[in-house]
Amino acid sequence: TCTIQPDGKIIAGGFFKEVNTCSANNFVRLNTDGSLDHTFNKSTGANGTIRASAIQKNGKIIIGGNFYAYQYKSRNHIARLTKNGTIDNSFDPGTGLNGPVYGVAVQADGKILIGGDFTSYNSTPVRNFIRVNTDGTLDNSFQIGNGADDVVNVIKVQSDGKIIVGGNFQKMNGINTPALVRLNSNGTIDNSFVPHTLNGGSVQSILTLSSGKIMIGGSFLFIENGTYYMGVIRLNSNGSLDTSLKPLTNNET
């Protein structure tokens, strides 16, 4: 995972031990020229893979993944860091999550959306998608009900506050939403967004464009008027297929 800070520096997470021969446990910050930012206090880093990251308005950094500690501090799959990379103790997830995190996003009010493959947060039963308050407590006002019935891979918050969620799921809060859904800012289903059904498919990446259109990437295939769309599509703001983006042919790379 890579996220660009407002100053252009890049925070990068994954599964690695070194960057340019320097010790780095799965998480670093790079300068704009790609060199390692030695002012970022990675210390011992994470003891497992970092799969998702997001930056708050105040510069603090949310990380999620398949780890159990950061800088020797117990953190099950989710943590928040200060601007300089040290663990932020004002964010307390308690016992955290019982499975890996694949997607995180921050809403305008600072609340944090978390998606992945888990069934509990701080000993409270949940299903693969939650929202937590700025202090790390579970936000029970988020109207997601029984959550996603399978893995959530990616979360994007639009400029209007609506939330696009992609993954392996078939249902969100008991409603059929195969692999892709848009929610209102409070977690309810946005019924104005009706995407093509991706039955049996998986959405793994989402890019929101300034035009309001949405790029979707993943493992899926469907046919529209005899045209095959495989792995990459562009949607209009209401979820309908943008047919002006032509799929690659077998002769293209």
Side-chain angles (χ1 to χ4, degrees), residues 14-237:
F15 182 64
F16 50 83
K17 296 300 179 185
E18 287 187 356
V19 173
N20 196 21
T21 72
C22 293
S23 176
N25 282 328
N26 306 315
F27 196 58
V28 294
R29 186 166 68 192
L30 306 177
N31 296 309
T32 55
D33 63 358
S35 61
L36 192 63
D37 180 5
H38 293 284
T39 69
F40 191 69
N41 184 8
K42 59 187 182 298
S43 185
T44 56
N47 69 342
T49 306
I50 293 178
R51 298 183 179 272
S53 59
I55 300 172
Q56 297 183 173
K57 287 182 179 179
N58 61 6
K60 291 184 177 182
I61 302 164
I62 307 295
I63 57 171
N66 194 16
F67 56 86
Y68 304 95
Y70 192 89
Q71 295 177 349
Y72 296 121
K73 183 78 172 183
S74 177
R75 286 289 184 271
N76 284 322
H77 307 290
I78 191 74
R80 187 168 68 194
L81 313 179
T82 64
K83 292 180 182 180
N84 66 5
T86 58
I87 194 80
D88 178 12
N89 290 311
S90 69
F91 180 83
D92 185 3
T95 57
L97 295 150
N98 68 339
V101 169
Y102 299 128
V104 294
V106 180
Q107 293 184 279
D109 60 2
K111 291 186 177 183
I112 301 157
L113 301 161
I114 304 171
D117 185 9
F118 49 79
T119 56
S120 74
Y121 180 76
N122 197 17
S123 301
T124 299
V126 295
R127 291 186 72 191
N128 303 317
F129 187 50
I130 59 172
R131 185 170 73 185
V132 300
N133 297 305
T134 56
D135 62 356
T137 56
L138 186 65
D139 180 8
N140 293 309
S141 71
F142 192 55
Q143 298 178 45
I144 201 61
N146 56 9
D149 67 347
D150 207 335
V151 176
V152 169
N153 292 322
V154 58
I155 309 163
K156 292 291 181 182
V157 179
Q158 295 185 165
S159 58
D160 62 1
K162 291 186 177 183
I163 306 160
I164 307 174
V165 185
N168 303 354
F169 53 84
Q170 293 297 302
K171 293 184 179 182
M172 183 70 73
N173 197 10
I175 298 172
N176 288 326
T177 56
L180 184 67
V181 65
R182 188 167 70 190
L183 309 175
N184 297 306
S185 59
N186 64 357
T188 57
I189 301 290
D190 176 14
N191 292 314
S192 70
F193 184 78
V194 185
H196 275 262
T197 299
L198 302 175
N199 281 316
S202 172
V203 170
Q204 295 161 5
S205 61
I206 299 170
L207 176 65
T208 54
L209 306 177
S210 58
S211 63
K213 294 183 179 184
I214 305 158
M215 294 291 300
I216 304 295
S219 177
F220 53 79
L221 168 67
F222 67 87
I223 305 170
E224 176 79 6
N225 296 326
T227 300
Y228 285 73
Y229 292 84
M230 182 182 298
V232 178
I233 55 175
R234 186 168 65 197
L235 305 179
N236 297 307
S237 59

